[in-house]
């Protein structure tokens, strides 16, 4: 019997249930999601669902691409954090899990960052080597809130399909949507983003959405029902920092859902600058994973986000065209 599994043809000697197929491949059914002929196979039916001649299966898991039970150490006591989709988080730093040299470094960087929410990508399982370590073995979804994202999706259909598989794999309905326009800029394709957001919200997902820094587009996404708006600071992975602070501030001033800067942060001062705009948080990945010392940079980003938030709450002095002496002139010798 000939079937296709993760894009590769495979001959099976006999008809198997999905559960038996996973077992013969050495895969833990609790850590993967299965799609058969573009229809998700519910985990509860793995024992009954039969693999038939000509079937096309996709078997996926989470890769680097939760909330601790106790308060995050080092978070300023004056800042109570933010709420998204009815869930409270103390840390305003969200961290991606991709690009690290290995899962051990990923786990150490996440711990140093103090992040509670981590983004994860959905990818095919390596069926040729099912014993490879999985992200869940190092980053416990009982400790961190997994935020499945649609990194690498260029159409609304692919994004929706990916997140439906993610929900089946882990049961999460809080997700990050991004639909990209091209490989060079990785800017969001807003028409496709609107279409995907509409479909996902109708399907019961709570959508945090990556978008351009257009206040009108952001407003439309909120009106559609997105639970958080995530305008880009600059191009994904570019490290260019916050290129359009005025528009991000406008988005924050008009939104009634959390606004988080997503993408482009390169150093700690970029993260602090984003937070000084009054946004609710910052999501970054490459700035930490690509640093010479990711663990040290993770701690720097943690402190920068906290400092930027405190600076915003404290209220900066107004800018003036001329000097204003700090010491009083009265009584000058």
């Amino acid at each position: 019997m000939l079937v296709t599994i993760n894009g590769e043809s495979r001959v099976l000697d006999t008809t198997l249930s999905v559960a038996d197929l996973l077992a013969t491949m050495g895969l833990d059914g609790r850590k993967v999601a299965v799609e058969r002929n573009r229809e998700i196979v519910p985990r509860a039916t793995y024992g009954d669902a039969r693999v038939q001649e000509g079937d096309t299966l996709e078997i996926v898991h989470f890769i680097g691409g939760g909330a601790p039970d106790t308060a995050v150490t080092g978070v300023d006591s004056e800042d109570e954090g933010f709420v998204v989709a009815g869930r409270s988080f103390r840390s305003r730093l969200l961290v991606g899990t991709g690009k690290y040299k290995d899962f051990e470094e990923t786990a150490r960087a996440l711990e140093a960052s103090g992040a509670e929410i981590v983004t994860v990508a959905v990818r095919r399982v390596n069926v040729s080597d099912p014993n490879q370590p999985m992200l869940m073995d190092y980053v416990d979804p009982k400790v961190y809130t997994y935020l499945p994202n649609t990194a690498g999706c260029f159409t609304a259909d692919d994004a929706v399909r990916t997140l439906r598989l993610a929900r089946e794999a882990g049961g999460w309905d809080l997700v990050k949507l991004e639909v990209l326009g091209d490989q060079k800029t990785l800017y969001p394709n807003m028409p496709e983003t609107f279409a995907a957001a509409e479909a996902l919200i109708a399907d019961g997902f709570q959508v945090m959405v990556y978008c351009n820094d257009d206040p009108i587009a952001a407003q439309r996404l909120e009106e559609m029902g997105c639970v958080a708006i995530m305008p880009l600071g600059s191009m994904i992975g570019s490290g260019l920092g916050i290129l359009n602070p005025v528009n991000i501030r406008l988005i924050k001033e008009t939104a009634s859902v959390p606004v988080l800067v997503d993408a482009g942060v390169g150093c700690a001062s970029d993260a602090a600058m984003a937070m000084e705009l009054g946004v609710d948080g910052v999501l970054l990945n490459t700035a930490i994973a690509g640093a010479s010392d990711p663990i040290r940079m993770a701690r720097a980003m943690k402190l920068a986000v906290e400092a930027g938030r405190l600076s915003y709450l404290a209220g900066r002095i107004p800018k003036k065209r001329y000097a204003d002496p700090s010491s009083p002139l009265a009584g000058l010798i």
Side-chain angles (χ1 to χ4, degrees), residues 45-321:
T45 68
Y46 281 2
D48 298 322
R50 311 297 296 182
V51 180
Q52 305 291 338
E53 171 74 30
D55 278 353
T56 298
L57 293 99
E58 295 288 346
I59 305 174
V60 304
H61 65 135
F62 295 113
I63 66 167
D69 294 332
T70 57
V72 180
T73 59
V75 175
D76 189 87
S77 59
E78 296 179 9
D79 185 6
E80 296 181 354
F82 73 107
V83 177
V84 59
R87 311 177 199 190
S88 299
F89 299 95
R90 291 290 306 279
S91 175
R92 294 178 180 272
L93 176 61
L94 290 69
V95 179
T97 50
K99 298 187 176 181
Y100 294 92
K101 67 179 182 181
D102 53 38
F103 285 144
E104 290 184 0
E105 184 178 75
T106 304
R108 291 176 59 209
L110 294 180
E111 183 178 4
S113 75
E116 298 171 274
I117 302 176
V118 298
T119 61
V120 294
V122 180
R123 293 293 185 270
R124 287 172 168 172
V125 171
N126 184 348
V127 294
S128 299
D129 186 6
N131 294 320
Q132 280 192 348
M134 292 187 176
L135 182 68
M136 285 183 174
D137 299 328
Y138 293 83
V139 180
D140 190 348
K142 295 180 181 178
V143 175
Y144 296 93
T145 293
Y146 271 33
L147 186 66
N149 69 14
T150 55
C153 291
F154 290 84
T155 68
D157 181 64
D158 285 345
V160 171
R161 183 184 176 199
T162 295
L163 290 178
R164 285 174 176 163
L165 276 167
R167 182 166 60 183
E168 181 62 28
W172 298 285
D173 58 5
L174 181 65
V175 296
K176 180 199 165 189
L177 170 65
E178 57 182 74
V179 186
L180 306 175
D182 60 56
Q183 288 281 3
K184 185 176 181 180
T185 67
L186 300 183
Y187 256 61
N189 180 326
M190 293 310 299
E192 290 292 295
T193 298
F194 291 137
E198 184 176 30
L200 290 167
I201 292 167
D203 201 17
F205 285 92
Q206 296 173 314
V207 179
M208 302 173 67
V209 57
Y210 167 70
C211 60
N212 58 21
D213 52 12
D214 176 0
I216 305 304
Q219 184 177 16
R220 179 179 172 186
L221 289 166
E222 180 180 351
E223 290 171 349
M224 291 173 65
C226 293
V227 299
I229 308 300
M230 307 177 75
L232 54 82
S234 54
M235 291 180 291
I236 292 173
S238 69
L240 289 172
I242 313 303
L243 297 184
N244 198 343
V246 174
N247 274 21
I248 290 176
R249 185 63 180 264
L250 287 173
I251 291 172
K252 175 56 187 173
E253 288 177 355
T254 58
S256 58
V257 296
V259 175
L260 301 97
V261 169
D262 179 9
V265 168
C267 59
S269 58
D270 294 337
M273 177 184 176
M275 293 304 301
E276 287 178 331
L277 296 173
V279 298
D280 297 279
V282 174
L283 171 60
L284 55 86
N285 186 177
T286 306
I288 292 177
S292 298
D293 186 338
I295 312 307
R296 184 172 290 175
M297 184 61 80
R299 184 166 180 268
M301 290 299 182
K302 173 179 181 290
L303 297 173
V305 167
E306 293 170 10
R309 180 64 180 176
L310 283 178
S311 176
Y312 169 74
L313 293 175
R316 65 157 292 141
I317 63 171
K319 294 182 179 181
K320 301 177 181 179
R321 294 180 61 190

Side-chain angles (χ1 to χ4, degrees), residues 10 12 16 19-27:
R10 180 172 294 212
L12 303 181
L16 297 173
D20 290 338
L21 176 65
L22 294 176
T24 62
M25 298 171 67
L27 296 173

